[in-house]
Amino acid sequence: IALSAIALEGKNYYNVDHLNHLTLASNERSIGIRFAALDYRGTEDIRYQTRFYPAGKKNAPWNVPTELSSIFVQDIHPGEYIFEVRSTNALGQWQNNTRQLYVSVTPTFWESTLGKALTIGFLLIVTIVITILSLRYRATRKEREEALHAYLDMQERLSAMVEGQKESSKQKEDGAENAYAQ
């Protein structure tokens, strides 16, 4: 089986059969691969099976056999993958002609370990700042409420003292009037 073309983000590359490994940039997340098998008895009855799976995965299933000689994979996550294709001969017998292509997808900065760590760190800092501000707000509010209660208590005591003085002076006046009246 020969690789005849690879399409990356709208660009077609031909004469790619020499490739065994392909690295996709962080902005290239879709790939189209064309392939071909040749049987001099006829090519109209050749069937293909493909699979595209993460490297390290065991026993990935093959796709359903088809006459189509291309595959298109979209939205590939960063990591290492293996693309495999195999074919039948013109008589429909599976051949020992599996072709592999290793595909590496580069992560964007935010998908990298450093990017994820910075995101988590930023979220942690924001959470801590919000918690601290919330605690400060509650403490300030409590202090204001306590000061207000103390002020109101003092006003009540002052009012009580003024009332007491008024009553005391009224009693003195009443006592003086009573003494004067006698």
Side-chain angles (χ1 to χ4, degrees):
I1 293 184
L3 299 180
S4 56
I6 292 179
L8 296 173
E9 301 300 323
K11 297 177 187 171
N12 292 317
Y13 300 94
Y14 301 98
N15 192 19
V16 293
D17 190 46
H18 65 282
L19 289 178
N20 289 323
H21 190 272
L22 179 64
T23 300
L24 303 183
S26 60
N27 63 338
E28 297 173 327
R29 296 300 174 96
S30 301
I31 184 172
I33 303 172
R34 293 190 51 91
F35 41 85
L38 183 61
D39 187 333
Y40 292 107
R41 289 175 281 204
T43 58
E44 61 277 349
D45 293 326
I46 294 177
R47 301 281 185 263
Y48 299 95
Q49 276 189 312
T50 60
R51 58 185 178 181
F52 189 88
Y53 58 95
K57 182 177 180 181
K58 302 288 185 205
N59 301 322
W62 289 93
N63 292 339
V64 176
T66 180
E67 294 176 351
L68 296 176
S69 61
S70 64
I71 183 174
F72 188 74
V73 183
Q74 290 181 287
D75 300 325
I76 306 170
H77 295 287
E80 302 290 323
Y81 297 90
I82 299 173
F83 165 72
E84 291 183 320
V85 59
R86 65 181 181 181
S87 72
T88 65
N89 60 17
L91 301 174
Q93 300 164 331
W94 288 105
Q95 300 298 296
N96 188 15
N97 63 351
T98 301
R99 174 73 156 86
Q100 289 185 330
L101 176 65
Y102 295 91
V103 179
S104 297
V105 181
T106 307
T108 63
F109 174 75
W110 297 109
E111 293 171 326
S112 69
T113 304
L114 178 60
K116 288 177 183 178
L118 286 175
T119 301
I120 290 170
F122 176 74
L123 291 175
L124 185 61
I125 288 170
V126 167
T127 303
I128 290 170
V129 167
I130 289 172
T131 303
I132 289 170
L133 291 176
S134 175
L135 292 174
R136 275 193 186 167
Y137 174 76
R138 288 180 184 173
T140 303
R141 186 173 165 193
K142 186 177 179 180
E143 288 174 8
R144 286 181 182 169
E145 287 177 1
E146 289 173 356
L148 180 62
H149 287 299
Y151 175 74
L152 291 174
D153 288 343
M154 186 172 62
Q155 283 286 25
E156 284 180 23
R157 280 189 253 133
L158 187 59
S159 293
M161 285 176 50
V162 168
E163 286 295 319
Q165 284 180 354
K166 281 184 182 178
E167 283 183 23
S168 166
S169 58
K170 189 172 181 176
Q171 287 175 355
K172 284 182 185 178
E173 284 177 14
D174 286 345
E177 283 180 15
N178 287 341
Y180 181 72
Q182 293 178 352

